[in-house]
């Protein structure tokens, strides 16, 4: 949690008085996630989570605070409601898109875990970059959301193609193994048949008077 994690630094604070401010928050959240080293898909998740939560909680006196910790990116939404019901659809969706959501009186905090292999930019640099972002219009934000949606669809198509290719390879390997197993089974059956035949020959009784071995030298000598 933000209160228990060491090294939490505030990056920027933005007002959420109107729905237009939610667009600004979404853009700031996406940029902060990128500068914090999150993967592109996680950047979209953070932006979407802020959009959903912000629509539920914006109003006069509401603010959002973006902060960077040692292990998480935090966004705290300070709202004017006495409580934020966990049943709100926007908060439910936001909770599924981040690693943790904390509901306190007057505050909802979203936390997204940072990637150890991609260290974030220095907090001072992130703060300066976020402050330089120009205000965004609803139309610009809609275009950005459409672009993100197109990128996500492209990723889904690519993953489906990779899955199809993998399935094709698995089926080819399965067919090859099935053919080899069938050939092995035929060899085993032939071997058992040969063993049964030899076993039958060994169990076959010998006729009376039939020499069981070669004639001795004595019986073949002339009288």
């Amino acid at each position: 949690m933000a209160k228990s994690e060491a090294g939490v630094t505030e990056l920027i604070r933005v007002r959420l008085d109107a729905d237009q401010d939610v667009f600004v928050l979404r853009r700031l959240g996406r940029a902060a996630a990128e500068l914090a080293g999150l993967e592109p898909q996680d950047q979209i998740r953070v932006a979407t989570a802020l959009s959903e939560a912000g629509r539920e909680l914006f109003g006069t006196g509401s603010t959002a605070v973006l902060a960077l910790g040692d292990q998480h990116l935090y966004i705290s939404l300070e709202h004017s409601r006495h409580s934020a019901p966990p049943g709100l659809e926007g908060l439910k969706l936001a909770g599924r898109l981040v690693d943790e959501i904390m509901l306190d009186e007057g505050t909802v905090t979203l936390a997204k875990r940072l990637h150890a292999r991609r260290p974030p930019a220095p907090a001072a640099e992130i703060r300066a970059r976020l402050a330089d972002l120009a205000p965004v219009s609803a139309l610009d934000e809609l275009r950005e959301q459409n672009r993100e949606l197109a990128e996500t669809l492209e990723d889904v198509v690519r993953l489906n193609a990779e899955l199809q290719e993998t399935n094709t390879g698995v089926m080819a390997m399965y067919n090859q193994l099935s053919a080899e197993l069938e050939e092995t089974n035929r060899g085993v059956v032939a071997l058992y048949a040969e063993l049964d035949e030899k076993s039958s020959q060994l169990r076959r009784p010998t006729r009376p008077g039939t020499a069981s071995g070669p004639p001795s030298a004595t019986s073949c000598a002339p009288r």
Side-chain angles (χ1 to χ4, degrees):
M1 296 175 59
K3 294 181 180 179
S4 61
E5 183 174 324
V8 178
T9 303
E10 181 175 325
L11 300 174
I12 196 169
R13 184 179 293 261
V14 58
R15 298 176 63 89
L16 293 177
D17 292 331
D19 56 354
Q20 175 67 26
D21 298 327
V22 177
F23 298 139
V24 177
L25 174 62
R26 189 183 192 280
R27 187 180 186 191
L28 290 172
R30 171 73 186 264
E34 179 181 2
L35 294 169
L38 296 181
E39 298 287 347
Q41 288 300 319
D42 284 334
Q43 298 171 23
I44 295 175
R45 291 186 180 98
V46 169
T48 304
L50 292 182
S51 180
E52 292 297 323
R55 288 193 184 102
E56 297 284 9
L57 301 175
F58 79 86
T60 303
S62 297
T63 58
V65 180
L66 281 71
L68 183 67
D70 293 337
Q71 301 176 11
H72 294 84
L73 174 67
Y74 294 102
I75 305 94
S76 296
L77 305 178
E78 302 171 357
H79 55 88
S80 55
R81 302 187 181 195
H82 295 293
S83 62
L88 293 176
E89 289 300 322
L91 295 185
K92 286 182 179 180
L93 177 56
R96 292 198 298 268
L97 294 171
V98 296
D99 295 306
E100 188 176 2
I101 181 170
M102 293 154 277
L103 305 179
D104 298 318
E105 184 175 356
T107 305
V108 174
T109 301
L110 309 177
K112 190 66 178 176
R113 188 175 299 108
L114 303 179
H115 291 280
R117 292 179 295 179
R118 299 183 63 184
E125 178 183 342
I126 298 178
R127 191 183 298 113
R129 296 275 295 275
L130 295 180
D132 287 341
L133 287 178
V136 61
S137 66
L139 180 58
D140 290 336
E141 183 59 25
L142 179 61
R143 288 171 178 166
E144 179 66 16
Q145 292 184 24
N146 289 339
R147 185 186 64 81
E148 292 173 356
L149 178 60
E151 290 178 354
T152 302
L153 290 176
E154 289 175 359
D155 289 338
V156 171
V157 171
R158 177 180 55 81
L159 291 174
N160 284 338
E162 293 176 357
L163 180 60
Q164 181 64 35
E165 184 177 353
T166 301
N167 289 339
T168 301
V170 170
M171 288 302 300
M173 183 179 298
Y174 172 79
N175 293 333
Q176 180 181 355
L177 291 175
S178 296
E180 292 176 356
L181 180 60
E182 184 178 354
E183 183 178 353
T184 301
N185 288 340
R186 286 198 298 267
V188 171
V189 170
L191 178 60
Y192 272 111
E194 183 179 352
L195 292 175
D196 287 342
E197 182 180 356
K198 291 185 179 297
S199 178
S200 298
Q201 292 176 355
L202 292 174
R203 290 195 302 268
R204 194 174 301 159
T206 305
R207 294 180 182 178
T210 303
S212 59
S216 63
T218 306
S219 61
C220 294
R223 296 182 180 178

